[in-house]
Amino acid sequence: MTDLSDLPPARPWRSSALWPATALLASLALWGYAVTHTDVSDLGDFGLVGALHPAFWAGLALLTAGFWLTLRGPYRHPAWAPAYVVGLLVMERATQAVVYPTPLYAWAWKHDAVIDHLLTAGRLQSADVVGDMAVYDQWPGFFAAQAALVKLLGVDSAAQFMAWWPLVSSLMLLLPLLLMYRTFTEDRRLVWLAVWIFSVANWVGQDYFSPQSVAFALHLGILAIVLRRYAGGTSAATGTSGKAGGPRQAVWTVLLTLLVVAVVISHQLTPGMLVVSLAVLFFARHYRDKVPLITTAVIFLAWCLTAALPFLSATMPDMLRSIGDIGGNVATGYGATPTGTGAVTTSWVARLLSASVLLLAAVGALRQPVLRHRALPLLLLALAPLPMFAASSYGSEMIFRVLMFMLPGAAFFAAAALLPQARTLTAVEAQGTRPEPRRFVWLPLLALLAGTLAFVPSYSGKDRISYFPPAEVDLVQQVIDKAPDGSLVVAADRNYPLAFADYWRVDHYWFLDDAREHVDRIVREPAATLARDMASVEAPGRAYVLFTRGQFADSEMNGLLDKGQLDRIERSVAASPLFERVAGNSAGSAYALRSGTETPEPKEAGR
């Protein structure tokens, strides 16, 4: 596919650079002003969306318009598209790191605890020592690398840099995406528009400080190598054969093997997705070399039968029961039920954004048959994750993971839907760029602008759940510091910072994970029921119950317990002689079960 944007600009570089530079710098200036004038001390139901200064929205709109007009205008330069995409990633992924004084996401804090465990223990440990958390010692690649980084940087913990991980992990995706797209087209407009669409559609939140973020980048890197170096045809970008031989092929095989090993030892799901993707490409005859598929399958199987065997043996019955239960796997994909105007609205915005990209991808594939034929491997890669719906719910997250793995291929064809039909470069056209119908410029721009703006509520609309203010971090840290070895920390759920801190010496229990019958008993008789649940802790350990802002936000917005029920539980514990208050501030409070106190017998239901 030939792109007229590859022609040299008709105007001198200095003249043509003035307005793209002005638009880019102005949008970043608006963003800088916005993030320094955004107050996140009292987030509402719409999360960061309701707190952002209006200048943020103006800057994002200006950035999008500048990118599109730079991409589609008659005087283009190859440097501007990547500059605008990096600007987009900064505005998308660095905003939260700047406006929030502490890292987001309880899962990120959990991963920090795993790294702290590796640094403290100095080795991997089994389930008889760390219980269920041993699963992270069975896939230690990401955590071992981060532990080494913590030592290298000389910081106390990963919490000091993990707030910036969404930006870092998103930048890591650029190279493999570019390599994949450039395999099938020389059109820089299509390549960079696809990268932009991928960035705004990737709202599912797997870019945070997690093994998935790195494994996904490695997954795309492996696919890019296979498509460019093991394919039997000719690369559209380089015009050379994709199949190398001799020493060069051996080098690529070694690199491929190292990347596969890194994926396999870091994450449970991604290797399975990788095997499926490689199998689809191989059996569709888009590369003839068996080495990538066999290498990946053998390494994955070897790891499952050795290091990961304890975890897989324990979970295999549940995994087998979920196979084929597509309705159940999809239905649980949104976790609990969003409750309240903000949670419901942002959930629907996210779904509509994803549906729009997938619909555009279908339009692009139908509208450009030549591209569909040339880039059929990308179309297959977009469809390959769909069977995973029948495999497992993956802890109520399979729908999110499937969407993420579909996005690289879907974004490419969605970009094709927003561009005019490819034209053949002729001597007449070489004299200049023909004007396009206005609808081909402005209608796609509106679609791109709507999608880019929709990313913000999709990605940050539930920050009331994900953000933990410094006071909440301090409160939990006080409890962990006071807790003797063998202690128990009880909370409604795990949505608070340091929820897994010191898990090798302190147990953690979240009563909303229990059966509904037991939760109802806690709501009816909060203090007495919790005291009985906590009474088994032996001295010198102590039992603590923790109430924090994050738990309340998660429970309310996901329809678990409402504010009235949670307040009643806290008031009951605070007023009970069975408990004493040991810590508290504006973000919550903590109570310890008094030692030597006899707990009352449970009342019969309905009394």
Side-chain angles (χ1 to χ4, degrees), residues 195-407:
V195 172
W196 184 285
I197 292 175
F198 173 88
S199 300
V200 301
N202 188 23
W203 58 266
V204 297
Q206 297 305 315
D207 56 356
Y208 74 104
F209 187 71
S210 65
Q212 175 73 92
S213 63
V214 175
F216 184 55
L218 296 174
H219 166 86
L220 293 184
I222 292 168
L223 292 179
I225 291 174
V226 170
L227 290 172
R228 294 181 70 88
R229 297 298 173 183
Y230 288 84
T234 299
S235 168
T238 64
T240 60
S241 172
K243 185 172 179 64
R248 291 186 61 188
Q249 187 72 355
V251 170
W252 285 111
T253 299
V254 170
L255 176 59
L256 184 78
T257 302
L258 293 175
L259 295 178
V260 169
V261 169
V263 171
V264 168
I265 68 174
S266 296
H267 198 243
Q268 300 97 328
L269 178 65
T270 304
M273 288 281 193
L274 182 58
V275 170
V276 170
S277 299
L278 292 175
V280 167
L281 292 177
F282 179 77
F283 290 111
R285 297 175 180 259
H286 283 284
Y287 68 94
R288 301 188 182 98
D289 199 325
K290 298 178 182 179
V291 170
L293 177 58
I294 293 177
T295 299
T296 304
V298 168
I299 294 174
F300 183 34
L301 184 61
W303 190 262
C304 290
L305 294 178
T306 53
L309 187 59
F311 171 79
L312 294 176
S313 299
T315 59
M316 191 60 68
D318 290 336
M319 294 172 63
L320 292 176
R321 279 193 294 269
S322 67
I323 293 177
D325 185 15
I326 298 178
N329 294 341
V330 174
T332 58
Y334 295 97
T337 304
T339 304
T341 303
V344 172
T345 301
T346 54
S347 294
W348 276 107
V349 170
R351 298 177 194 186
L352 289 173
L353 174 58
S354 297
S356 299
V357 171
L358 296 178
L359 180 60
L360 277 176
V363 171
L366 293 173
R367 183 169 169 261
Q368 303 220 31
V370 174
L371 185 64
R372 181 176 70 241
H373 173 73
R374 174 176 290 183
L376 182 59
L378 288 180
L379 192 58
L380 294 175
L381 290 176
L383 299 175
L386 290 176
M388 300 303 290
F389 279 134
S392 171
S393 69
Y394 197 68
S396 302
E397 289 191 355
M398 183 57 77
I399 191 171
F400 298 126
R401 307 303 175 101
V402 167
L403 174 63
M404 182 179 68
F405 282 97
M406 291 177 68
L407 269 181

Side-chain angles (χ1 to χ4, degrees), residues 514-537:
D514 285 349
R516 189 69 203 187
E517 178 184 357
H518 186 68
V519 175
D520 290 340
R521 188 180 299 119
I522 291 175
V523 173
R524 288 196 307 269
E525 304 176 76
T529 305
L530 288 172
R532 285 192 297 272
D533 292 343
M534 301 161 63
S536 60
V537 177

Side-chain angles (χ1 to χ4, degrees), residues 434-478:
R434 291 180 178 178
E436 297 171 0
R438 296 179 68 87
R439 67 179 182 276
F440 285 133
V441 175
W442 298 110
L443 289 180
L445 170 58
L446 293 177
L448 190 66
L449 183 60
T452 303
L453 295 178
F455 169 86
V456 182
S458 302
Y459 187 74
S460 305
K462 295 183 179 179
D463 278 6
R464 183 183 164 213
I465 295 176
S466 304
Y467 168 55
F468 310 115
E472 189 167 358
V473 178
D474 291 342
L475 173 66
V476 182
Q477 189 66 64
Q478 288 181 51

